[in-house]
Amino acid sequence: MWKLKPPLEMPLGLKYKHILEQLMPTDPSISLNLKKLSAEEEFPNLAKNQTCMAKVLTIQMYKRLRARATQSGFTLDDIIQPGVDKSERSSIRTVGCVAGDAESYTVFMEFFDPLIELYHHDYQPNRMHRSNLNPENLKGGANLDELYVLTCQVSTGRNVDDFCFPPHCSRGERRALEKLAIGALNALDGEFKGTYHSLKNLSEEELQRLTAAGILSDNLISPLMLSSGMARDWPDSRGVWHNDMKNFIVWVNKEDHLRITSIQDGGNVKQVFTRYCFGLKKLEEIYHQKKHPFIWKDNLGYVSTCPSDLGTGMRASVHIRLKYISKHQKFDEILQRLRLEKKLTGAADASVGTEVWDISNADRIGFSEVELVQLLVDGIKLLIHMDKYIEQGRPIEDLFPTQKQMDIHE
């Protein structure tokens, strides 16, 4: 008779568990890279591609970088896919790539650095970007002529530390980001107190109401979002928040983790910018308290999903009637000298000679937020002045601006 129970045979899976765990790759997706064909066979056809990506990427660079990945598993092929999909010719300058996480800009520095320099007008990534969110430093801009200026808007994107960017984040990360955003937005008070709307829970009536208010648009998903993977699982964990006045709006989990916008009718750019600065700083403080600060690098500024939005990530714009100067043969050159850019508003067609334009800052990096809004304010004043001159039959050659330069701060 046994006084002690006989020893049980240990299952092999448990007996050799520590050995099996050592043999298991940390990320199974890493082994998939070994199954690629040669670089020549995998290299995309960029013969007619007009993106900045196509101008920078060579077969030699592709050979060197294609086997690399960030710690979260984002590869060079993931980075360039939006540009590969956008092969048609376009008059709009397009970057043609995205980052999957903040580490992308370091691991693939050989690709991103020349691309950033090309897109951002010779801004070299070894410079130090600077930020200035003090609206008191803005000169003028409180009373732009409202016979010309219809609306003003300032917007930017922000990404949160410790999370992958929208092209690469998992469902769980996206849901955690939404939860984090709702908590931060609900903590706002005063003029920033507002309401969050989850897209997946919106009724048809709410959808129409938010669209009519200009908070939602008819086309929520862009081609870039589709080709880059940003639109995966749409509309899960996506939403939009607005304050009670509906002049401060925050999108959650679109191109970046957050998209912050200050907007209002009329010509008071300074008021719009002041609200933008105060609201953005309040959000940044809340996220910092939650141990998830916005991602910042000294040379790149605020780190964005798209390299076109590095630096301030800020677009300051006005909708403006320019009946005469917009038809001038040197209109594009004038805007270039002012470091501004244009696009037609709404569904208007250039062939019908529309009078309403969206004019905004052309730069994102290399200037502070105050400097970019100052360029816009000064430029809009000059364009209105020139438009009046032409209407009165007076020559405008003496009003032509000199080229605005980027100050270099090492």
Side-chain angles (χ1 to χ4, degrees):
M1 181 176 177
W2 289 94
K3 294 184 178 180
L4 295 175
K5 292 184 179 180
L8 298 175
E9 183 68 26
M10 184 180 294
L12 292 178
L14 183 60
K15 183 177 182 180
Y16 297 106
K17 181 181 178 182
H18 66 289
I19 298 176
L20 293 173
E21 287 178 343
Q22 293 175 7
L23 296 176
M24 182 71 70
T26 56
D27 183 356
S29 65
I30 295 175
S31 63
L32 297 178
N33 292 330
L34 301 176
K35 299 179 182 179
K36 289 183 177 180
L37 300 179
S38 69
E40 289 78 9
E41 292 169 305
E42 296 283 359
F43 191 70
N45 182 358
L46 303 177
K48 297 181 179 180
N49 197 298
Q50 299 297 305
T51 65
C52 291
M53 174 275 294
K55 296 176 182 178
V56 169
L57 186 65
T58 64
I59 181 63
Q60 292 78 16
M61 183 187 294
Y62 186 77
K63 285 181 179 179
R64 290 191 295 272
L65 299 180
R66 77 187 191 108
R68 295 184 188 177
T70 65
Q71 292 185 60
S72 67
F74 209 64
T75 68
L76 179 63
D77 283 308
D78 296 325
I79 288 170
I80 66 174
Q81 192 59 50
V84 174
D85 290 343
K86 188 177 177 61
S87 59
E88 74 277 6
R89 292 183 178 273
S90 173
S91 59
I92 301 174
R93 196 164 53 109
T94 306
V95 176
C97 61
V98 294
D101 47 33
E103 192 187 10
S104 298
Y105 289 104
T106 303
V107 173
F108 300 99
M109 185 185 303
E110 182 183 348
F111 167 75
F112 275 117
D113 280 4
L115 181 133
I116 291 167
E117 186 174 350
L118 173 65
Y119 184 85
H120 290 286
H121 308 289
D122 298 324
Y123 178 85
Q124 297 177 358
N126 60 355
R127 297 179 187 169
M128 296 294 103
H129 178 75
R130 62 202 186 281
S131 177
N132 183 352
L133 287 169
N134 184 357
E136 295 301 318
N137 293 335
L138 180 66
K139 300 175 182 177
N143 56 352
L144 296 179
D145 193 334
E146 295 189 3
L147 293 176
Y148 292 83
V149 178
L150 306 178
T151 62
C152 306
Q153 175 175 319
V154 183
S155 63
T156 193
R158 289 291 186 267
N159 285 310
V160 181
D161 197 20
D162 291 335
F163 290 93
C164 292
F165 296 169
H168 189 48
C169 66
S170 68
R171 295 184 190 94
E173 281 185 298
R174 197 182 301 115
R175 290 165 182 168
L177 283 161
E178 183 188 36
K179 182 179 180 181
L180 186 63
I182 292 172
L185 293 166
N186 284 341
L188 296 175
D189 55 14
E191 68 170 309
F192 298 104
K193 182 177 179 296
T195 306
Y196 181 76
H197 303 273
S198 172
L199 290 192
K200 67 179 181 180
N201 296 328
L202 281 181
S203 66
E204 187 62 31
E205 181 182 350
E206 290 174 316
L207 188 64
Q208 292 178 1
R209 179 169 53 83
L210 291 173
T211 302
I215 295 171
L216 296 182
S217 62
D218 293 330
N219 300 315
L220 293 178
I221 302 178
S222 66
L224 172 64
M225 292 177 66
L226 290 172
S227 62
S228 66
M230 297 177 190
R232 288 169 298 127
D233 305 306
W234 189 272
D236 185 73
S237 304
R238 274 74 168 206
V240 63
W241 173 96
H242 61 78
N243 65 345
D244 294 340
M245 294 294 293
K246 297 183 174 63
N247 56 17
F248 192 76
I249 302 164
V250 180
W251 268 99
V252 177
N253 286 329
K254 283 193 73 180
E255 290 89 349
D256 292 299
H257 295 155
L258 300 173
R259 184 75 189 173
I260 301 104
T261 300
S262 175
I263 186 171
Q264 71 184 46
D265 293 336
N268 196 336
V269 174
K270 184 154 191 172
Q271 189 175 59
V272 173
F273 183 56
T274 299
R275 185 188 311 115
Y276 167 88
C277 293
F278 287 171
L280 185 56
K281 286 190 284 190
K282 282 176 177 288
L283 272 178
E284 187 161 18
E285 181 180 346
I286 293 170
Y287 270 85
H288 192 271
Q289 291 172 351
K290 291 177 177 289
K291 310 299 183 185
H292 288 290
F294 296 154
I295 304 174
W296 165 276
K297 292 182 181 294
D298 288 340
N299 62 327
L300 300 178
Y302 289 101
V303 181
S304 57
T305 300
C306 183
S308 64
D309 288 328
L310 291 168
T312 63
M314 189 189 76
R315 185 178 188 271
S317 65
V318 300
H319 282 188
I320 182 171
R321 293 189 183 99
L322 292 173
K323 185 174 182 179
Y324 302 101
I325 187 62
S326 62
K327 298 181 178 67
H328 195 281
Q329 60 181 356
K330 292 192 175 181
F331 184 44
D332 287 344
E333 181 184 341
I334 293 169
L335 290 175
Q336 184 178 6
R337 291 186 181 190
L338 295 172
R339 301 190 85 102
L340 300 177
E341 58 187 11
K342 63 176 173 63
K343 67 178 181 178
L344 292 168
T345 59
D349 188 342
S351 63
V352 301
T354 182
E355 299 174 11
V356 181
W357 294 85
D358 181 302
I359 306 293
S360 65
N361 53 296
D363 298 277
R364 301 290 185 272
I365 196 169
F367 295 85
S368 71
E369 291 84 354
V370 168
E371 288 170 329
L372 290 176
V373 178
Q374 193 70 62
L375 285 172
L376 178 70
V377 169
D378 295 344
I380 292 299
K381 286 181 178 179
L382 178 60
L383 291 173
I384 292 174
H385 198 42
M386 298 175 88
D387 204 71
K388 290 179 178 180
Y389 261 50
I390 297 174
E391 183 180 15
Q392 297 166 5
R394 301 168 65 181
I396 63 170
E397 282 69 26
D398 290 343
L399 299 178
F400 268 51
T402 57
Q403 178 64 53
K404 301 291 185 181
Q405 298 296 329
M406 178 186 294
D407 294 329
I408 299 178
H409 292 247
E410 298 296 344

